[in-house]
Amino acid sequence: MIILFIGAQASGKGTQAKIIAGKKGFVHISTGDLLRAATGELKKEIDSYITKGKLVPDELILELLKERIKQPDCKKGVILDGYPRNLQQAEELEKIEKIGKIFEIWVSDETAKKRLMGRWNCKKCGVAYNIVTAPRPKKDKICDGCNIPLYQREDDINEEAIEKRLAIYHEETEPILKKYKDKVIRNNG
Ligand code: AMP
């Protein structure tokens, strides 16, 4: 059985998903992280979607996800963060695993935009800081744990990409919450 975390960009779903996965001993799979870890020609193709704020094609992300989910560490349980993003992906997921609870993390578009602009990440440990809201790093744009410079994602600083991602969230991702409303637990992000 798989637990889903669904929320708009910068809702904090990744942070929450990691905390719950750690507490339960489940594996946290972020499809955004899977895509960002790609290399070579595949990376070029993936980046051509991500930097514009578009979803990568369903078949491509499904292949990567299937490969990850069949690893032995996923046997105890999986928390999926960032998948499914549309109804078709939800259908594909149901063919692989039963969907358990769905945690919706809600934020307004206004808050999401403000947070995205201030989001700085650590490439090494994956922690996301926020220099506008919180949590701020102790030293300016340096990771507290790894002591290396933080970076901003290209799709977080491109206003057009941000608008596109939020529009896709409302049009394509939110219908999943309607379809599976009996499984949804709503939280404010
Ligand atoms: P995230 O880290 O979840 O914000 O995802 C960053 C970007 O990766 C998204 O804007 C999409 O371009 C892509 N992405 C992540 N998950 C998916 C998915 N399930 N389907 C398609 N594209 C995805």
Side-chain angles (χ1 to χ4, degrees), residues 7-20:
Q9 285 66 30
S11 59
K13 69 177 170 17
T15 304
Q16 297 298 328
K18 269 187 211 159
I19 293 172
I20 305 293

Side-chain angles (χ1 to χ4, degrees), residues 31-32 35-36 50 54-56 61 82-83 85 89 153:
T31 46
L35 291 164
R36 281 184 290 275
I50 293 187
K54 294 181 179 170
L55 293 183
V56 306
I61 185 67
Y83 192 99
R85 290 284 236 267
Q89 291 186 3
R153 279 168 42 179

Side-chain angles (χ1 to χ4, degrees), residues 117-122 127-131 141 150-152:
M117 295 287 192
R119 184 156 79 170
W120 287 74
N121 309 279
C122 177
V127 168
Y129 296 89
N130 204 299
I131 58 163
K141 295 171 194 155
L150 302 171
Y151 81 103
Q152 273 188 304

Side-chain angles (χ1 to χ4, degrees), residues 68-181:
R68 181 64 188 93
I69 278 184
K70 73 180 185 206
Q71 303 301 316
D73 62 337
C74 292
K75 286 223 167 72
K76 196 172 167 206
V78 168
I79 296 198
L80 257 188
D81 154 16
Y83 192 99
R85 290 284 236 267
N86 58 35
L87 286 169
Q88 174 131 8
Q89 291 186 3
E91 273 171 33
E92 290 299 334
L93 181 62
E94 280 189 301
K95 290 182 200 160
I96 312 174
E97 278 283 348
K98 192 171 158 33
I99 297 175
K101 290 271 173 261
I102 301 177
F103 290 90
E104 175 192 1
I105 315 286
W106 183 87
V107 281
S108 67
D109 283 8
E110 201 188 330
T111 301
K113 282 182 206 166
K114 204 161 93 184
R115 286 189 191 167
L116 283 170
M117 295 287 192
R119 184 156 79 170
W120 287 74
N121 309 279
C122 177
K123 261 207 168 96
K124 194 168 172 201
C125 68
V127 168
Y129 296 89
N130 204 299
I131 58 163
V132 179
T133 53
R136 291 192 181 90
K138 290 195 187 90
K139 285 190 240 163
D140 188 31
K141 295 171 194 155
I142 301 285
C143 177
D144 292 350
C146 307
N147 208 28
I148 58 169
L150 302 171
Y151 81 103
Q152 273 188 304
R153 279 168 42 179
E154 238 181 278
D155 54 341
D156 282 356
I157 46 180
N158 172 346
E159 225 169 301
E160 244 176 76
I162 291 177
E163 293 293 345
K164 178 98 193 146
R165 286 153 74 200
L166 288 169
I168 291 176
Y169 180 75
H170 295 307
E171 283 159 27
E172 299 190 36
T173 310
E174 279 180 343
I176 302 171
L177 298 168
K178 279 200 193 101
K179 178 170 176 190
Y180 296 94
K181 60 178 186 304

Side-chain angles (χ1 to χ4, degrees), residues 38-64:
T39 53
E41 282 307 306
L42 181 62
K43 180 170 179 53
K44 274 193 208 152
E45 188 193 341
I46 288 171
D47 283 352
S48 71
Y49 295 98
I50 293 187
T51 51
K52 292 190 192 92
K54 294 181 179 170
L55 293 183
V56 306
D58 289 348
E59 316 80 64
L60 195 162
I61 185 67
L62 183 63
E63 275 312 303
L64 289 178

